[in-house]
Amino acid sequence: DAMVIQNPRYQVTQFGKPVTLSCSQTLNHNVMYWYQQKSSQAPKLLFHYYDKDFNNEADTPDNFQSRRPNTSFCFLDIRSPGLGDAAMYLCATSRDGGNQYFGPGTRLLVL
Amino acid sequence: AQSVTQLDSHVSVSEGTPVLLRCNYSSSYSPSLFWYVQHPNKGLQLLLKYTSAATLVKGINGFEAEFKKSETSFHLTKPSAHMSDAAEYFCVVRLVAGNNRKLIWGLGTSLAVNP
């Protein structure tokens, strides 16, 4: 089945230690999104790639970066995680900004 | 500006009774509207969407929603709740600005289903 895959499902890191979350998709969608979702809140868009064009949300901290080496893969890099960055991170894809298909998420814990 | 308001942060129903989750939207033009469901510790799943076709939209798992332009509403309903429906539900409007298409999320409604 075509899908959006996120690895790992759970990630534990230390305060200030860089961490990378991974997303891959077999849908061949040209748009990929990263969301942050904290407990009992709606997902918050961090940034998205429309093809190779990177679109950062105005309020996304500089601590968060992203890479998209090819159509199928997209990475979320957190350069110096703080305690406030503990959250569920959701990857989504779409075709030309249409319906978004979500992965299962990676839950990040910062110690 | 586009926005979406979910009128109830928490709804509790008994199994077998109807479900109503309320959503109002604000949009300067004809919106695309969605309902997503999120079960505990799981990703988001699209329940249904409205994109200017039929105003009554049927989704998965017996859910449906009716787009009412005069009331700027897109309420989600189900005739008979099942225990497995307990989850968080998000009403979403899609913002379109040039090539930028992003989702504007409601704050969510937590649905509890009691036996």
Side-chain angles (χ1 to χ4, degrees), chain A residues 2-7 21-34 49-52 66-76 91-95 101 103:
Chain A
M3 56 177 58
V4 181
I5 303 159
Q6 290 188 247
N7 285 309
L21 308 182
S22 168
C23 177
S24 64
Q25 53 125 342
T26 60
L27 297 160
N28 201 31
H29 284 169
N30 61 329
V31 189
M32 294 187 77
Y33 309 79
W34 278 106
Y49 274 94
Y50 198 112
D51 297 317
K52 294 181 180 180
S66 185
R67 295 171 284 135
R68 189 179 185 186
N70 54 53
T71 301
S72 301
F73 285 86
C74 196
F75 300 98
L76 170 62
C91 175
T93 73
S94 77
R95 164 69 57 195
Y101 293 82

Side-chain angles (χ1 to χ4, degrees), chain B residues 4-84:
Chain B
V4 61
T5 303
Q6 292 184 243
L7 299 169
D8 308 291
S9 60
H10 186 85
V11 170
S12 182
V13 301
S14 298
E15 190 175 21
T17 65
V19 176
L20 170 64
L21 305 183
R22 298 182 295 165
C23 174
N24 286 110
Y25 70 91
S26 171
S27 177
S28 53
Y29 46 85
S30 184
S32 294
L33 293 158
F34 306 80
W35 275 98
Y36 280 86
V37 61
Q38 186 175 34
H39 288 91
N41 295 314
K42 292 195 176 179
L44 288 146
Q45 183 180 19
L46 180 65
L47 267 181
L48 49 80
K49 63 179 180 179
Y50 166 78
T51 55
S52 74
T55 56
L56 182 62
V57 182
K58 293 189 184 297
I60 62 172
N61 301 335
F63 284 94
E64 61 183 37
E66 186 171 8
F67 173 73
K68 291 187 177 180
K69 186 175 181 179
S70 60
E71 299 177 9
T72 60
S73 69
F74 190 58
H75 300 335
L76 181 70
T77 61
K78 183 174 180 177
S80 176
H82 191 272
M83 296 295 288
S84 61

